[in-house]
Amino acid sequence: MDTLHNLGLGLSVALSLHNIWYCFIGCVLGTLVGVLPGLGPIATIAMLLPLTFGLAPASAVIMLAGIYYGAQYGGSTTAILINLPGESSSVVTAIDGYQMARQGRAGAALATAAIGSFIAGTIATFLLALFAPPLAHVALQFGAPEYFALMVLGLVASIILASGSVLKALAMIVLGLLLGLAGQDIYTNTLRLTFGIPEWSDGFEFVAVAMGTFGLSEVIRNLESGADRSMVATKVSGLVLSFKDLKLILPPILRGTFLGAVLGILPGGGAMLSSFASYSIEKKLAADPGRFGKGAIEGVAGPESANNAGAQTSFIPMLTLGLPSNPVMALMIGALIVQGITPGPDVVNQKPELFWGVIASMWLGNVLLVLLNLPLVGIWVRLLTIPYHILFPAIIAFCSIGVFSVSNNVADVYTMAVFAFGGFLLVKLGCEPAPFLLGFVIGPMMEEHLRRALLLSRGDVTVFLTRPLSVTILVVALIALVVTLLPSVGKKREEAFAEES
């Protein structure tokens, strides 16, 4: 009964006119950035953070959440029509979706992606409502040592799930942690890592770092690559699936939904890992695995369901533990902190309208996305013809205005430019910027819990090893890191990274 009461509270927040409007804006923008290759939800949310400052906290998170799961929908459109995934989680969808489009079944592929995404999003919303409150209640029992251990586990998980070299992923984490600690020491007021620049005495502005690393650096990368956008179909028809198709896609949708829901909760998991895992399972379970890669509709249904379920359940550790499971959740934490809200278990009790409003808005968002994606697919197809050289000046101008508006400080614009070229350089060196952003966000919180634990224990470092929960979490993190460092695992990571590149 409590869950129904809480969902009623959430619906009362989500169904208010202004929150419906912000949910609609988020879904439209999410679909748009998913359709347009090269933007993505990380860059878009980073660019839109300044616009959320004047909004109520619930409205801000509802809009940003709509961008995230909306991009999962939109990313499938380019994956199916032009074999160019608009989102990393749609890479797997392109394998069979593009082949279906070449066979004249683009409409069936797009309908499968939309139906699978809607079912997965609906189920994931209810799972979020069921499991998030108990987890928040457990988290209230955590002390500083447990939170520190949990953040260590989260950082190790991001290293495990990043592609490419383990050493480079570890270096990105350390770099993010170091730059996150820049500014004034919270206990001694000593300046750290400011390089003598007064404007950095409060640390690097989160919005400037996020926009530069993911927004502007992505523009530079796309200008360099100049990806081809030749479509196999300029007109999409056949959006109504046959009974045979519905019978084929229902089991993969359900399997993908529950797989994505579980993997989305794990730190470092989420949409991309879920879609790859779902495709592998569907191929193994298929009576004729040879159909996969040649236009198997199950190869679209499973991964699309998995990535949407994973995207939504990744909100559970962010809302209940204050722990980002992926870079988008790190941006969400940044948005909440800017609003004066500390993400964590207290949000459920202190801000129930925010917590339950965001959860209820996800179901509303999934309904809006179905209404947007299928009837308006012709518009999304035409958007793919917009030349990128027209888009990028607008993106740069929007980023610059947004960063400057945060604190009316031109130094933040220069900071964004520095991180833009830094982010581009990292990618050229084969380093993923995602672990860097996670380290940057978690760094200050990690330091605070570490120092608080040591103060309470009077400097006794064994406090992390004498508390059962913290030592268990640290042991799990150590085992996971050791497994990742094994030569055989490292070789597979390098091969996977080479294929993605």
Side-chain angles (χ1 to χ4, degrees), residues 3-4 7 120-131 312 359 363:
T3 301
L4 292 177
L7 282 175
T122 301
I123 294 174
T125 299
F126 284 106
L127 292 175
L128 191 59
L130 286 173
F131 292 108
Q312 292 192 198
I359 291 176
W363 184 82

Side-chain angles (χ1 to χ4, degrees), residues 18 110 140 143 171 233 286 313 328:
H18 64 284
L110 289 169
L140 286 171
T313 56
V328 173

Side-chain angles (χ1 to χ4, degrees), residues 91-319:
V91 170
V92 182
T93 305
I95 299 172
D96 283 285
Y98 183 65
Q99 292 303 318
M100 287 180 69
R102 292 185 65 183
Q103 296 162 16
R105 302 197 67 206
L110 289 169
T112 299
I115 292 169
S117 297
F118 175 73
I119 294 174
T122 301
I123 294 174
T125 299
F126 284 106
L127 292 175
L128 191 59
L130 286 173
F131 292 108
L135 185 59
H137 179 71
V138 172
L140 286 171
Q141 314 303 317
F142 281 24
E146 286 78 16
Y147 266 110
F148 174 77
L150 195 63
M151 289 175 184
V152 171
L153 178 60
L155 293 178
V156 170
S158 69
I159 295 171
I160 294 169
L161 295 172
S163 57
S165 166
V166 178
L167 187 61
K168 289 180 179 178
L170 184 60
M172 290 299 95
I173 288 286
V174 173
L175 180 62
L177 288 171
L178 285 173
L179 294 182
L181 300 179
Q184 236 174 12
D185 184 283
I186 56 175
Y187 290 102
T188 65
N189 293 329
T190 305
L191 291 179
R192 307 176 301 187
L193 299 172
T194 60
F195 307 101
I197 300 174
E199 288 80 4
W200 287 349
S201 58
D202 290 329
F204 299 108
E205 174 60 52
F206 172 76
V207 176
V209 173
M211 276 194 184
T213 307
F214 289 99
L216 291 191
S217 67
E218 195 68 24
V219 170
I220 299 170
R221 288 175 61 195
N222 282 297
L223 288 174
E224 182 192 38
S225 62
D228 181 29
R229 298 186 184 183
S230 57
M231 280 182 283
V232 295
T234 55
K235 188 176 180 181
V236 178
S237 58
L239 289 169
V240 179
L241 295 177
S242 66
F243 178 75
K244 181 183 176 182
D245 285 336
L246 289 171
K247 190 176 177 181
L248 280 173
I249 67 173
L250 188 56
I253 285 174
L254 294 176
R255 283 191 291 265
T257 296
F258 287 101
L259 178 67
V262 172
L263 292 178
I265 296 171
L266 300 177
M272 186 169 68
L273 180 64
S274 303
S275 61
F276 276 92
S278 174
Y279 190 83
S280 300
I281 288 173
E282 293 308 320
K283 191 172 182 179
K284 287 178 182 177
L285 293 176
D288 180 15
R291 292 173 52 246
F292 282 73
K294 299 176 183 177
I297 197 168
E298 305 97 305
V300 176
E304 277 300 301
S305 305
N307 70 39
N308 276 273
Q312 292 192 198
T313 56
S314 62
F315 280 80
I316 292 178
M318 190 277 288
L319 287 172

Side-chain angles (χ1 to χ4, degrees), residues 451-468:
R451 295 177 73 169
R452 186 181 297 168
L454 291 175
L455 282 170
L456 292 173
S457 66
R458 299 181 183 276
D460 184 7
V461 294
T462 62
V463 66
F464 300 102
L465 304 177
T466 53
R467 296 170 68 109

